[in-house]
Amino acid sequence: MTARNATSNDDAGSRERIPRHLAIVMDGNGRWARRRAQPRSFGHRAGQKAVRTTVEYCLRRHIGVLTLFAFSSENWKRPDTEVGALMDLFLKALDKEIDELHQNEVRVRFIGELSAFSEALRTRMHAASLRTAGNTRLTLNVCVSYGGRWDIAQAARRAAEAALAGEIDPASLDEAALAPYLCMADVPSPDLLIRTGGERRISNFLLWQLAYTELYFTDTLWPDMDATQLDNALDDYAHRERRFGCVPDPVTARAS
Ligand code: IPE
Ligand code: IPE
Ligand code: MG
């Protein structure tokens, strides 16, 4: 990774229009492989390079939080061979990338139902999180065995436990009171969601957190994602008017 040396897209002048939190549904690996008459696992391996490119890009553009959807709650339903290949890839990727991520001051976290993974993988994920916990340049959330419905359900369960323990009053459990129990409550909600691979759906990603996120869909398959494609998504985002249910700002409206 050469994030520290990168220059071409250093664009401090337009930082306010850059998302603080970028979330990505990395889709299209299987089709990328099929077009090359290769097994789906070949596409997953190729997708790793796009992850590196994206992390470098976020470091260069001063994006503070990157959340990647790597494996959904529903992806366990895929054939054993594909799930096995993905688990193998996660293990190898962790061993291969963690030193460089740490050098680049990236805090890495794994978000999802981690108890579903093997002991070996859980140990590696835990060690990587612990090692990088003090890094502040970029927070990289890797969503694995993650589902938006699972997230809301686990938040509700933990809130119910707190109520049973007398720590909170169930009658006061509104949105603001439930929010801290959701995964990633310590970072702002995503400003921009990119989904590669051509499908226009959320596929049970961050259902709560995406309430006011700007959505960007591209036909590019994940292994083909590069800095130019990311620039396109960010340019598009920079021209969105985010209203959050309000009316347009009169000053901005007059100027446009
Ligand atoms: C995304 O690519 C990676 C995972 C879901 C693990 P896919 O494997 O879904 O690729 P397509 O959508 O079948 O092309
Ligand atoms: C979403 O992609 C999950 C990840 C990218 C990890 P899927 O390929 O699983 O989604 P569907 O099946 O097309 O909705
Ligand atoms: Mg897919």
Side-chain angles (χ1 to χ4, degrees):
M1 224 178 282
T2 54
R4 284 218 174 275
N5 309 328
T7 50
S8 66
N9 286 306
D10 249 330
D11 186 6
S14 58
R15 252 182 236 171
E16 314 95 73
R17 312 230 81 181
I18 286 178
R20 288 166 305 170
H21 182 172
L22 171 64
I24 307 185
V25 179
M26 309 184 290
D27 196 26
N29 296 349
R31 280 162 285 164
W32 189 91
R34 197 171 61 221
R35 285 180 195 176
R36 287 158 182 80
Q38 294 289 334
R40 296 176 60 83
S41 56
F42 184 75
H44 296 315
R45 279 200 301 279
Q48 215 184 313
K49 185 166 157 278
V51 172
R52 288 171 67 93
T53 302
T54 304
V55 169
E56 286 173 20
Y57 184 89
C58 289
L59 289 167
R60 201 158 70 226
R61 299 296 300 262
H62 310 283
I63 292 169
V65 186
L66 172 64
T67 300
L68 299 175
F69 203 9
F71 191 80
S72 75
S73 310
E74 290 73 29
N75 289 152
W76 289 111
K77 292 186 247 168
R78 294 189 178 195
D80 290 349
T81 45
E82 183 171 350
V83 172
L86 278 164
M87 296 303 132
D88 202 41
L89 181 67
F90 292 156
L91 263 178
K92 290 192 175 126
L94 258 173
D95 286 346
K96 188 161 171 253
E97 307 291 345
I98 200 65
D99 286 344
E100 206 161 347
L101 287 166
H102 189 41
Q103 274 159 26
N104 278 311
E105 296 160 50
V106 178
R107 171 170 71 144
V108 186
R109 306 190 297 187
F110 298 89
I111 311 290
E113 202 169 5
L114 305 187
S115 58
F117 292 109
S118 70
E119 175 82 41
L121 202 41
R122 270 186 288 146
T123 305
R124 297 281 216 303
M125 290 192 283
H126 185 62
S129 305
L130 261 184
R131 186 171 166 207
T132 62
N135 294 339
T136 53
R137 202 164 155 219
L138 170 69
T139 294
L140 172 61
N141 300 308
V142 184
C143 292
V144 280
S145 193
Y146 178 87
R149 288 177 176 173
W150 166 83
D151 194 355
I152 293 167
Q154 68 80 28
R157 186 173 59 246
R158 291 201 295 134
E161 282 163 5
L164 272 176
E167 292 159 13
I168 57 169
D169 173 10
S172 66
L173 195 65
D174 56 9
E175 287 178 30
L178 186 61
Y181 293 97
L182 285 146
C183 293
M184 306 193 299
D186 60 331
V187 294
S189 291
D191 299 297
L192 174 64
L193 171 83
I194 299 174
R195 180 169 183 148
T196 62
E199 313 294 357
R200 273 120 176 103
R201 55 180 172 251
I202 301 297
S203 298
N204 197 17
F205 195 25
L206 306 159
L207 298 180
W208 176 289
Q209 297 87 341
L210 293 179
Y212 269 103
T213 300
E214 298 296 325
L215 309 178
Y216 181 89
F217 298 102
T218 170
D219 291 337
T220 301
L221 302 175
W222 176 247
D224 291 328
M225 200 62 179
D226 59 16
T228 307
Q229 306 282 342
L230 288 162
D231 271 342
N232 291 344
L234 261 71
D235 283 351
D236 195 275
Y237 169 80
H239 293 96
R240 306 274 180 99
E241 185 190 28
R242 304 187 73 188
R243 289 190 292 276
F244 300 97
C246 304
V247 291
D249 169 18
V251 177
T252 318
R254 257 201 312 277
S256 59

